[in-house]
Amino acid sequence: MFKTIRKYAHLYGMFIKNCLIAQMEFRGNFMMSLLVESVYLLAKLLYVLVVFRTDLHVDGIPPEGLLLFIGMHTVVTGIYVGLFFTNFTKIPEYIKDGSLDLMLTKPVSLQFMASLRYVDLALPIPDILVGFVMIGIGWHAMDIPLTLLQLAGFMLLLLVSVVITYCLMIIPALLSFWFVQTGSASEIAHSAWDANNFPMAIYPAWVRRIGTFAIPLFLITNFGPLFLLGQLSWLYAGLALAGSLLLFTVIRLIWKQAVKGYSSASS
């Protein structure tokens, strides 16, 4: 098992290295990507400024505490854009033009190759940096103790957020195995994603239940900050981890079933 993990870690390192070399060949595009994402991030910071000016409280959480939620959403957005977005948009193309046929011949997991092959090293930098700054400011302003236990719990829930993000946002790409056009599903997924940058307490109880247990979108942004604020126990953190692993297993099974029914575009 450790040999397999080491093999895939080395392969992923090669993916990152090759993507970095490719992006550095066109430094102008790299810098432009940084600029565009920074402008987008500036718009979000203006939104944060409005939250502070209006002294908005959500379920008893002051604006300083809301920074934890907005920062968490910003960090995970950067990770999603950097690691997953490009790959997920390419999967329908692989299916349509037959590129998936070549990947099937590789001695590694097809899902690994198709969903993690490309890494964007420009777009996520502003989001991840600014997101962690917002989390740090909110952490300090709310007088949350910076202990190893608190940090470990938060990093665990950040990992859970990344796993759930992968599982939920790959679903429109998986639909491409059965449907020709899945653009509408992607738009719905991204619209739901953008609505997740605030505490889930702003939504009705039935929406919270769906977003926690049926489609665990709220786990991505909410569970880490709630843990820091003392509103989420280690038990629920463990259940969130178990739930994310279960969701990944389901997505893995769906992927295998989809590949079984895949008809080569070149045959």
Side-chain angles (χ1 to χ4, degrees), residues 69-182:
F69 295 86
I70 301 172
M72 186 74 165
H73 181 268
T74 304
V75 169
V76 182
T77 297
I79 294 173
Y80 166 61
V81 170
L83 302 186
F84 307 140
F85 177 74
T86 300
N87 294 289
F88 293 171
T89 56
K90 284 181 175 291
I91 290 175
E93 298 176 13
Y94 297 152
I95 296 170
K96 291 176 184 177
D97 63 19
S99 300
L100 203 65
D101 302 356
L102 181 60
M103 293 184 182
L104 283 166
T105 64
K106 304 298 181 182
V108 294
S109 165
L110 175 62
Q111 185 177 350
F112 179 84
M113 283 287 297
S115 64
L116 296 174
R117 171 63 183 85
Y118 293 97
V119 179
D120 193 318
L121 298 169
L123 290 178
I125 291 176
D127 285 328
I128 293 176
L129 289 178
V130 174
F132 274 121
V133 168
M134 285 193 284
I135 291 172
I137 294 173
W139 197 316
H140 176 73
M142 295 298 293
D143 292 323
I144 301 169
L146 183 58
T147 64
L148 185 60
L149 199 60
Q150 288 284 84
L151 188 59
F154 178 77
M155 294 308 295
L156 172 66
L157 289 168
L158 177 58
L159 175 62
V160 168
S161 297
V162 173
V163 173
I164 293 175
T165 296
Y166 175 92
C167 294
L168 294 182
M169 302 307 285
I170 200 176
I171 291 175
L174 285 175
L175 294 176
S176 299
F177 282 96
W178 293 282
F179 304 100
V180 177
Q181 297 294 336
T182 59

Side-chain angles (χ1 to χ4, degrees), residues 216-227:
L217 185 69
F218 290 145
L219 271 67
I220 295 172
T221 294
N222 280 261
F223 271 38
L226 289 175
F227 176 82

Side-chain angles (χ1 to χ4, degrees), residues 169-213:
M169 302 307 285
I170 200 176
I171 291 175
L174 285 175
L175 294 176
S176 299
F177 282 96
W178 293 282
F179 304 100
V180 177
Q181 297 294 336
T182 59
S184 297
S186 296
E187 290 178 9
I188 292 172
H190 288 113
S191 296
W193 177 270
D194 290 336
N196 191 33
N197 65 341
F198 244 61
M200 59 183 175
I202 65 175
Y203 297 104
W206 65 272
V207 175
R208 296 199 299 270
R209 293 191 191 99
I210 293 174
T212 302
F213 301 106

